[in-house]
Amino acid sequence: MTRRPARRPWPLAAVCVMVLALTLLLFGLHWESVIQLVPGYVAAYLLIGACIFGPAGKPPSLRQAVAFLLPGALLAPLALLNLGYWAGGWLLGLPAWGLLLNWWTPEGPIRPSQVLKFLGLLVLGLVIFTFNVIYPVFSLGLFLLPIISLIRLAYPEYRAWPLQAGAEVLLAVAAVVVALAIPTPEGSWSSPWTYAGGAATVGLMTAFWAPRSSPPLFFKESAISQRPGAADEGSGASALELIAPPW
């Protein structure tokens, strides 16, 4: 009988939620004050967290929850000082930060070098997002979201979780449709889909790096262990295939 793979985070869904949230927060609705942005920011923050920690079926540990929520709680009030750029910038790297925290266990703590690499990558992402308005080549990342979600359907491990597959396809398509449907505000330097594309590129770049920075160990039975006489071919380790979680 085929065994289902272990449940893993939904990184692509988290990136799509981030792109949708930034697009709607920046262009989707007419806000009269900065305070009105806070509920949308909090909702996006929690939805990204749900995409990362929710699939495991158990809540994150206390230290994971604190490390995930504390930066947002500290940065959100900056919007009241007209410094909301930094709160939005943190949202760009939030899916990757959540993935990094998801692998944080007593047996495998996060190394300071990993945090520094993440911060360096986030700074690079902020530069890309900011100057993408002038050089919009990175906006093409927006169209990678549905392409990646459809390509992943070719993998049996991915199709084993139809809820994840369906949610990521729908979110990816929604991110593109919303970004293209919102008209460019009068006086804006660039169109909403350009900003959304920059956010998608940064989100994919950082989230792609995060699990490879500290991949957990997942074991599954290989075909060798199912052949007659496999126990005589070597040690138990040879009957196991070490795999990193598929992106």
Side-chain angles (χ1 to χ4, degrees):
M1 182 177 63
T2 303
R3 182 179 300 176
R4 261 191 170 187
R7 293 189 180 185
R8 307 182 182 98
W10 297 5
L12 186 59
V15 172
C16 293
V17 169
M18 179 270 291
V19 173
L20 275 168
L22 282 179
T23 305
L24 292 174
L25 288 173
L26 290 175
F27 301 101
L29 299 173
H30 298 288
W31 308 103
E32 296 181 0
S33 66
V34 176
I35 297 179
Q36 293 178 329
L37 290 171
V38 175
Y41 185 84
V42 172
Y45 211 101
L46 295 178
L47 281 174
I48 293 172
C51 291
I52 301 299
F53 300 105
K58 60 180 181 180
S61 65
L62 178 60
R63 61 181 177 181
Q64 286 175 321
V66 170
F68 183 78
L69 296 173
L70 186 59
L74 295 176
L75 290 171
L78 292 179
L80 302 177
L81 304 175
N82 292 325
L83 296 173
Y85 172 81
W86 300 107
W90 176 252
L91 208 63
L92 289 172
L94 189 60
W97 179 241
L99 286 172
L100 205 59
L101 293 176
N102 188 62
W103 315 133
W104 187 12
T105 63
E107 297 78 17
I110 298 177
R111 300 185 299 272
S113 61
Q114 292 173 293
V115 178
L116 292 176
K117 289 178 182 178
F118 165 75
L119 293 176
L121 204 59
L122 180 59
V123 170
L124 175 61
L126 286 171
V127 172
I128 292 174
F129 181 75
T130 302
F131 288 96
N132 185 59
V133 178
I134 304 174
Y135 304 102
V137 62
F138 293 104
S139 298
L140 297 176
L142 177 65
F143 303 101
L144 287 178
L145 296 177
I147 292 174
I148 292 174
S149 64
L150 293 174
I151 290 177
R152 282 157 61 93
L153 292 175
Y155 292 90
E157 296 87 353
Y158 188 61
R159 294 197 306 270
W161 299 104
L163 179 61
Q164 176 185 1
E168 291 185 343
V169 170
L170 289 176
L171 286 171
V173 172
V176 175
V177 171
V178 169
L180 294 177
I182 297 177
T184 302
E186 184 178 353
S188 177
W189 281 26
S190 189
S191 60
W193 83 266
T194 301
Y195 285 96
T201 298
V202 175
L204 290 172
M205 176 183 68
T206 54
F208 183 86
W209 163 84
R212 284 156 178 78
S213 173
S214 181
L217 300 183
F218 289 100
F219 289 93
K220 69 176 182 179
E221 293 184 5
S222 67
I224 297 176
S225 63
Q226 299 175 5
R227 293 204 311 263
D232 300 330
E233 295 183 10
S235 63
S238 63
L240 294 174
E241 181 184 352
L242 179 61
I243 59 171
W247 207 101

